[in-house]
Amino acid sequence: MRLINSKPSRPVALLLAALPFVVVCVIYSISSELRLAVNPQDRLLPAPATIWDTAFRLFTEPERRSGQILLWRDTGASLFRLLSGVAIAAALSLVLGVLIGLLPYMRRTLSDFVAVLSMVPPLALLPILFIMFGLGELSKIVLIVIGTAPVMTRDMAQRVIEIPREQIIKAQTLGASSLVIALRVVLPQILPRLISNVRLSLGTAWLFLIAAEAVASELGLGYRIFLVRRFLAMDIILTYVIWITLLAFLLDWMLRALSRRAFRWAEASL
Amino acid sequence: MSFVSVRDVWQSYDGRPILERVNLDVAEGEFISIAGASGCGKSTFLRLLLAEEQPTRGVVSVAGGEGAREPDRERGVVFQRYSVFPHLSVRDNIIAAEAFGTTLGWLWGAPLRAARARADDTLSRIGLDHVADHYPTALSGGMQQRLAIGQALTARPRILLLDEPFGALDPGTRVQMHDFLTELRAKTPMTIFMVTHDLAEGFKLGDRVLVFDKPRWDPHDPGAYGATITYDFDARNGGIPYHHLMEKTDEPIHA
């Protein structure tokens, strides 16, 4: 039988899916073991048990000076920035996308501008944002918006244009105004796409968030990682990295579940 | 004064004529089939009737109105595909025909309940009451087209335009749709224009069959001239319009 036609059975499939994770863990454990055998003080690859202890401490024990658990405060601050940035970008891209996709005048005015804007490397704007909006929350949120909104806007506009002409004509013969077409024909059909856009741009948003926090911040997951780097605290860094990965995965999973639940009619395309 | 009148209509794209000197008068309640080869301008003609496009020259007027500049509620339309809204349930697709005309496109309270009752009436008339809560993607091609026709008629248009409405259906379903359309017409008289590739279908359903073709043809430049209505058949009584006259004259004359 050809390789392209042989499919794994269910238990084998599960095993295969788990395999890469197990391999990475095993390689890490062995490497860590080897290094610690040569030098017990080695900090580069802490033993899995050490990471576990550190993670437990980070999640449960409050800091002595402030009496607060830093990891949760970092998580709260970072999630606030991430979610407000992405939410603003999503709302912006939705409104602009519908306007550009539906109205020829808007398309002529904005589509080239948005295309050029999406070429600007957002991180290069970071110093300008810090100068304009200070080192507080605003500059970080604006960076995420600038980094994700233009690409999302272009995609939304494209989706609106791709709605079959027949549907738009049909709506007009039923007496729909431009507003009604936007609200009742276009909007419901591109909302599933908006959610998948948000899912895609969350990765980019994390990138900008951690970059901004690394450069100037007093709190946040990215800030903490770059802070403890100075002490070579690999156990803390790894804990934070795994935690961020987990958060990103959960956000993605929640958005997918929401999309499935809310847009039953579009199930096939999700 | 005819119900739909087309006066000396020309249509060209980028200087290339597609239609030239098209003249047509249609009485209220007539079923007009439009046939012709691919690219002969029959779909262009339908777009002019729909007011999706304006003719380069000439006037298309429906029910004595001025030439419309965009599609409106006077014109109902059913396309070959994409005629219903995939994100609305079958019932909501019918209700949309009433709701889309409001300022925000939604009905609430008593008007919504009334519209829902009327929609259920319509659905049982077109045989779709058992799938009222389904989404159109769950329906067969024939059911989707029946829904599209029901939706178009709910808006009470003056003329109904069908753009190869049964072109994507299998032959059996197509015959069922012919019966459905004939029945519907018997109950509610309406003026219909139908573009079709299938001449037999055109003659079966239509009162008149129009054929679009190019009266002038330059072999060195096939795009030089546009098409116009070259034949206008009377398709009533199975395409033999004077048959009944013969039968009448056959009777013995009593003085």
Side-chain angles (χ1 to χ4, degrees):
Chain A
M1 197 151 92
R2 289 181 187 84
L3 276 176
I4 55 166
N5 289 328
S6 52
K7 291 171 190 145
S9 66
R10 184 108 182 108
V12 177
L14 279 176
L15 211 69
L16 285 176
L19 189 66
F21 294 99
V22 175
V23 169
V24 168
C25 289
V26 168
I27 289 177
Y28 180 88
S29 308
I30 294 174
S31 320
S32 155
E33 195 96 354
L34 288 175
R35 282 188 75 100
L36 287 171
V38 178
N39 173 16
Q41 300 301 311
D42 181 64
R43 309 195 60 167
L44 218 56
L45 299 177
T50 318
I51 298 176
W52 180 255
D53 288 342
T54 308
F56 189 75
R57 189 168 51 77
L58 287 172
F59 274 102
T60 52
E61 281 178 27
E63 194 207 20
R64 239 169 286 143
R65 196 154 46 83
S66 62
Q68 282 168 315
I69 302 177
L70 280 178
L71 187 134
W72 291 112
R73 288 191 61 207
D74 287 336
T75 306
S78 286
L79 279 184
F80 169 74
R81 293 163 189 157
L82 184 84
L83 295 181
S84 18
V86 171
I88 292 171
L92 214 59
S93 76
L94 184 66
V95 173
L96 286 176
V98 171
L99 289 176
I100 293 173
L102 213 48
L103 306 177
Y105 271 91
M106 275 294 181
R107 187 148 62 235
R108 280 276 161 271
T109 314
L110 286 179
S111 89
D112 288 339
F113 180 67
V114 173
V116 170
L117 211 61
S118 68
M119 303 293 170
V120 178
L123 277 179
L125 295 178
L126 190 55
I128 304 176
L129 298 181
F130 279 145
I131 293 167
M132 277 172 68
F133 301 111
L135 300 179
E137 301 298 311
L138 189 59
S139 53
K140 298 177 186 67
I141 293 174
V142 171
L143 177 71
I144 293 175
V145 173
I146 290 181
T148 55
V151 179
M152 282 164 87
T153 303
R154 285 180 77 182
D155 188 72
M156 292 316 278
Q158 193 53 42
R159 299 296 148 180
V160 175
I161 292 169
E162 278 169 16
I163 290 179
R165 180 191 61 90
E166 286 90 338
Q167 280 187 32
I168 307 291
I169 301 280
K170 179 90 183 199
Q172 294 180 60
T173 64
L174 301 179
S177 61
S178 301
L179 178 69
V180 171
I181 291 174
L183 290 178
R184 294 226 47 199
V185 180
V186 172
L187 199 61
Q189 294 199 63
I190 59 167
L191 275 182
R193 186 64 202 183
L194 179 71
I195 291 191
S196 62
N197 268 344
V198 167
R199 281 173 64 193
L200 285 174
S201 59
L202 267 175
T204 330
W206 276 106
L207 166 77
F208 294 132
L209 173 74
I210 290 176
E213 286 179 344
V215 175
S217 189
E218 310 171 315
L219 203 62
L221 298 166
Y223 162 73
R224 197 67 56 194
I225 290 179
F226 277 81
L227 182 73
V228 299
R229 177 187 62 97
R230 297 174 199 165
F231 318 122
L232 234 84
M234 278 294 276
D235 48 347
I236 299 183
I237 294 179
L238 284 172
T239 304
Y240 268 75
V241 170
I242 295 169
W243 176 234
I244 290 172
T245 311
L246 193 69
L247 285 175
F249 181 81
L250 281 177
L251 279 176
D252 186 67
W253 180 81
M254 274 156 50
L255 284 170
R256 200 177 54 190
L258 171 75
S259 176
R260 282 225 179 113
R261 206 167 266 256
F263 309 111
R264 207 157 49 84
W265 58 271
E267 232 159 47
S269 59
L270 291 177
Chain B
M1 181 76 198
S2 55
F3 188 63
V4 176
S5 88
V6 176
R7 285 283 161 271
D8 193 30
V9 160
W10 295 62
Q11 178 71 328
S12 48
Y13 301 126
D14 305 323
R16 283 277 175 198
I18 303 296
L19 294 176
E20 56 180 48
R21 278 179 298 195
V22 178
N23 284 291
L24 182 67
D25 286 294
V26 172
E28 189 161 12
E30 272 191 305
F31 190 128
I32 309 292
S33 299
I34 301 170
S38 296
C40 68
K42 55 189 193 295
S43 289
T44 304
F45 184 63
L46 201 80
R47 279 202 292 277
L48 292 176
L49 286 172
L50 189 54
E52 186 189 346
E53 291 171 10
Q54 270 64 54
T56 319
R57 266 203 262 159
V59 182
V60 176
S61 105
V62 174
E66 292 292 306
R69 301 205 46 220
E70 55 181 4
D72 53 25
R73 280 179 79 93
E74 297 218 315
R75 298 148 167 85
V77 68
V78 174
F79 296 102
Q80 188 173 354
R81 295 175 63 205
Y82 306 120
S83 275
V84 292
F85 301 108
H87 59 289
L88 298 177
S89 73
V90 168
R91 182 186 290 115
D92 286 341
N93 258 291
I94 299 285
I95 295 175
E98 298 190 35
F100 276 18
T102 60
T103 316
L104 287 175
W106 284 98
L107 291 174
W108 283 280
L112 176 62
R113 278 192 296 277
R116 200 174 280 154
R118 279 195 297 275
D120 284 338
D121 276 355
T122 308
L123 286 177
S124 65
R125 204 161 59 243
I126 62 177
L128 292 177
D129 41 349
H130 59 294
V131 288
D133 296 312
H134 289 47
Y135 287 102
T137 40
L139 269 53
S140 69
M143 287 159 99
Q144 286 193 23
Q145 289 307 75
R146 252 188 288 169
L147 175 61
I149 293 172
Q151 182 190 46
L153 293 180
T154 304
R156 301 188 180 287
R158 308 297 298 268
I159 58 173
L160 180 63
L161 306 167
L162 309 173
D163 192 357
E164 295 182 37
F166 314 130
L169 305 179
D170 62 81
T173 315
R174 199 179 296 185
V175 171
Q176 283 175 15
M177 291 301 294
H178 293 166
D179 297 343
F180 166 71
L181 200 57
T182 311
E183 266 171 47
L184 213 60
R185 247 191 108 214
K187 278 180 215 158
T188 40
M190 46 193 162
T191 311
I192 302 180
F193 291 83
M194 178 179 75
V195 166
T196 179
H197 269 305
D198 185 351
L199 263 182
E201 181 178 86
F203 273 98
K204 180 178 171 188
L205 294 174
D207 295 325
R208 282 162 74 183
V209 177
L210 308 181
V211 179
F212 277 80
D213 204 354
K214 293 180 178 177
R216 295 182 287 171
W217 176 260
D218 183 348
H220 303 292
D221 187 7
Y225 301 111
T228 189
I229 299 172
T230 49
Y231 293 100
D232 185 348
F233 293 106
D234 192 332
R236 285 168 299 183
N237 301 316
I240 316 174
Y242 302 112
H243 194 62
H244 62 281
L245 293 181
M246 259 170 62
E247 278 174 358
K248 265 184 196 160
T249 49
D250 228 22
E251 283 171 24
I253 301 163
H254 302 286

